[in-house]
Amino acid sequence: MFESENVYNEQLKVELPRGITIFVKREDLLHEEVSGNKFRKLKYNILKAQELGYSKLLTFGGAYSNHIAATAAAGRICGVETIGIIRGEELENNYTGNPTLTKAVEDGMTLGFMTRTEYRSKGEVEIIDRLKARYGDFYLVPEGGTNAEAIKGTEEILKEGDEAFDYICTAVGTGGTIAGIINSSHQNQTILGFPALKGSFLYEDIRKFATNDNWDLVLDYHFGGYAKYNEELLSFLRELYRLTGVLFDPIYNGKMIYGVLEEIKKGRFKDNSKILVIHTGGLQGWNEKINI
């Protein structure tokens, strides 16, 4: 599954001031089921798990997590058993109305549910040992997939020729995608991350993996926090799709592209600059409750 990387940069056909142009790196087209940054983050984790002889992979996520869905699909394709530990117990006995978890189970994932209090301590040795006692030995991938192996994958997002862009913009969840982009960028480029979560705590998380200092976060476009959005954002994304044919999800990438266009109006980007935005996938964010 990790052999073909059919990705291209597509100019976004929108009218922009001061000679600015935007291109979209179509990471969402990497794979039919495991696209975008999830493909990048899981690539070397699964290869390492197989190299070390693990037959099971365990990870964590919310009930609508792109990471959970992608891990389940990747496990099925690569022949690795997957276990997903879900934050909260609300759906433990009735998840069939949840499209993400239903699809994950169809892809062979075993689901476990954890109280939100316990979930906050999910990385502690005691809890990991308890999970091993229940599920057997496993290769652990953290929530969101961000670790050293994931960074190896996200460092491959930028390709030859991308040094021509002045700015590279990406949505930010756990920080693994932007860290890899920072590491493979050129010092004359500015990397801007648009977090989908409230708060500035991500600076510290990104610095754990980033090796360059040519980056910053734009904190004003989270629309209330993770998985939160409003009709203004949804209407904007629908109209952008109608105009350009490029669909962005409302959880991550939609907030990023909204923020980029707003920051152009505010003058953040220099005249005649070329901007590359990274489409990290996540289109399952459009579900039956949020119709495109």
Side-chain angles (χ1 to χ4, degrees):
M1 105 173 225
F2 298 117
E3 296 175 358
S4 176
E5 297 185 8
N6 181 27
V7 171
Y8 59 92
N9 297 336
E10 174 182 353
Q11 185 168 357
L12 194 67
K13 297 296 196 295
V14 291
E15 291 188 16
L16 299 170
R18 308 191 318 276
I20 294 172
T21 53
I22 294 178
F23 288 77
V24 182
K25 183 173 286 292
R26 298 299 305 270
E27 289 279 296
D28 57 311
L29 303 178
L30 262 174
H31 191 275
E32 291 182 357
E33 297 181 78
V34 189
S35 69
N37 62 341
K38 300 310 176 188
F39 179 102
R40 302 293 185 184
K41 289 180 175 183
L42 288 169
K43 176 179 179 179
Y44 289 107
N45 272 295
I46 288 180
L47 291 175
K48 184 172 182 179
Q50 292 175 326
E51 177 186 340
L52 295 175
Y54 286 95
S55 60
K56 298 178 184 178
L57 186 153
L58 182 142
T59 195
F60 301 89
Y64 293 91
S65 166
N66 292 335
H67 174 66
I68 288 292
T71 300
R76 188 198 81 236
I77 295 166
C78 296
V80 176
E81 182 180 345
T82 57
I83 303 159
I85 305 301
I86 309 303
R87 180 179 62 249
E89 297 177 296
E90 304 92 305
L91 300 177
E92 182 171 9
N93 297 315
N94 184 24
Y95 60 80
T96 54
N98 179 296
T100 300
L101 299 185
T102 300
K103 180 62 166 59
V105 171
E106 289 174 356
D107 282 329
M109 175 173 276
T110 299
L111 298 181
F113 295 82
M114 189 177 282
T115 67
R116 293 175 184 274
T117 299
E118 189 177 27
Y119 193 89
R120 286 193 286 270
S121 303
K122 61 186 177 297
E124 294 183 2
V125 173
E126 179 183 350
I127 292 180
I128 299 299
D129 286 345
R130 193 184 312 158
L131 290 171
K132 288 183 177 179
R134 179 175 181 180
Y135 296 108
D137 202 15
F138 52 75
Y139 179 92
L140 178 65
V141 175
E143 181 179 27
T146 294
N147 58 13
E149 299 304 316
I151 303 303
K152 286 174 60 178
T154 57
E155 286 175 347
E156 296 177 350
I157 291 174
L158 295 185
K159 302 296 184 184
E160 184 178 353
D162 289 341
E163 64 274 9
F165 292 98
D166 304 292
Y167 300 89
I168 301 170
C169 301
T170 185
V172 178
T174 56
T177 299
I178 191 173
I181 291 170
I182 292 166
N183 294 351
S184 56
S185 68
H186 291 256
Q187 195 61 39
N188 63 310
Q189 297 178 306
T190 299
I191 315 303
L192 295 175
F194 292 74
L197 299 83
K198 280 184 179 181
S200 58
F201 63 93
L202 282 164
Y203 279 101
E204 183 177 348
D205 292 343
I206 293 166
R207 290 191 185 105
K208 294 175 184 176
F209 296 104
T211 56
N212 293 324
D213 59 2
N214 57 338
W215 63 280
D216 201 358
L217 298 179
V218 185
L219 303 175
D220 303 325
Y221 301 99
H222 52 71
F223 284 82
Y226 178 68
K228 295 185 178 181
Y229 43 80
N230 57 25
E231 189 54 40
E232 177 188 3
L233 178 63
L234 298 180
S235 296
F236 162 79
L237 295 177
R238 292 185 184 107
E239 179 64 10
L240 187 65
Y241 179 50
R242 186 187 70 79
L243 292 172
T244 68
V246 181
L247 181 61
F248 295 89
D249 73 283
I251 309 301
Y252 290 102
N253 296 285
K255 296 177 179 181
M256 178 268 298
I257 191 62
Y258 181 97
V260 169
L261 293 175
E262 287 297 304
E263 290 299 305
I264 288 174
K265 296 176 187 176
K266 294 177 182 180
R268 176 185 286 268
F269 300 97
K270 64 186 180 182
D271 292 0
N272 301 309
S273 58
K274 293 180 66 177
I275 302 170
L276 180 65
V277 300
I278 312 299
H279 194 319
T280 61
L283 291 178
Q284 70 151 357
W286 291 100
N287 55 47
E288 70 277 2
K289 296 180 181 178
I290 317 172
N291 295 316
I292 186 61

